[in-house]
Each structure stands twice: as C-alpha cells, then as structure tokens.
Amino acid sequence: MGCYNTAVINAPAGEVWNALKNFHDWSWSKNVITSLDIVGDKGPNEVGAKRVLNGGIPETLLSVDEASKSLTYSIDDGPADLSKDNMEGYVGSITVYPVTDDNSTFVLWTSKWEADKSGGVADFCNPIYQALLNDLKSHFS
C-alpha cells in the first residue's frame, strides 16, 4: 500500500531542497498547511524532530540525507483514516532530483504503510500530497 506523487518545480534543486528539508517550517504551503506546531526541542533537521500539522496530524522526522536530498518521516496518528486505530507503520519519503536539462527540479513524494483497516489512507493522502506539490510550484514561480 502506498502513495506516489511527483512534480517538476521551476527552480534549482538546492533551493527546493532547502524549502522541503526544514521540518519545522512549511510556510511555502499556504493552501494546505494552516498550522505547524513544533513539539519538543529537536532542531528542524534533526532525526526525531516532531511537529503537528493542522492541529491534528503528529509527525516525526526519521531521516535526512543531504547528499541525496531526501528525507523520511512518520505519521504517528491523525483524524479518521490516519488514526492509530486504522493505520500502522506510515512512512513518507520526499526526494529532490535536479533536472539538468533546464535547471529545474523533479520532486518525488511517496509513502507506504503496513496496515490500513478501512482502506482510506491513499484516498486521504494522495490529494494532499498533490496539493502540497502545487503549493511548492507556486512558491517558486
């Protein structure tokens, strides 16, 4: 089970990566992320950093790889389909690739999970990830 979303961003990969890797600041997403609350004292690029998105989706940063411009995170609980009662083992991954032809960036956003009792996780997450990628495109246009 999983999600797969992509976008080409009209900006250099380093700039896009700098926006995405800050786990505590997604101000570039004006249409999707209405609030981001930092939990704990870990820095925004430290494994174990925690945040709560939109007042109800707690997430934890699992890995950050500067060389490959990628990160992984978990969704630890949430409303409806994302709740601990419905879903287990959710891991999201964002990877930034340079497009050398025109100095733009290809962003790959995937996720997988171990259990989904009601079958609604992908239906919930795919539109959100695509909207986040659209916000990212707008931020750099």
Side-chain angles (χ1 to χ4, degrees):
M1 291 177 248
C3 294
Y4 179 90
N5 292 274
T6 64
V8 175
I9 310 297
N10 190 22
E15 291 179 23
V16 174
W17 172 240
N18 284 337
L20 286 168
K21 74 178 180 179
N22 187 336
F23 201 65
H24 290 159
D25 179 15
W26 278 21
S27 57
W28 51 265
S29 179
K30 305 283 188 212
N31 297 307
V32 181
I33 305 302
T34 57
S35 69
L36 187 153
D37 299 312
I38 299 167
V39 178
D41 59 359
K42 296 270 187 185
N45 296 4
E46 282 185 78
V47 170
K50 294 184 178 291
R51 67 184 178 199
V52 177
L53 298 178
N54 296 346
I57 303 173
E59 298 182 336
T60 303
L61 185 61
L62 302 175
S63 71
V64 179
D65 186 333
E66 286 289 336
S68 67
K69 293 181 177 55
S70 64
L71 64 84
T72 61
Y73 63 95
S74 63
I75 294 180
D76 305 324
D77 200 359
D81 295 320
L82 299 182
S83 73
K84 287 191 263 188
D85 293 334
N86 183 59
M87 178 190 68
E88 294 174 23
Y90 187 104
V91 175
S93 175
I94 304 170
T95 306
V96 171
Y97 299 95
V99 178
T100 58
D101 181 50
D102 62 1
N103 202 28
S104 63
T105 301
F106 178 79
V107 178
L108 172 63
W109 199 321
T110 62
S111 60
K112 60 185 177 180
W113 50 91
E114 296 166 13
D116 177 359
K117 296 174 187 161
S118 71
V121 175
D123 291 337
F124 185 90
C125 290
N126 273 318
I128 291 172
Y129 292 144
Q130 199 56 57
L132 284 164
L133 288 169
N134 289 339
D135 274 0
L136 190 62
K137 279 175 132 175
S138 295
H139 177 74
F140 285 104
S141 59

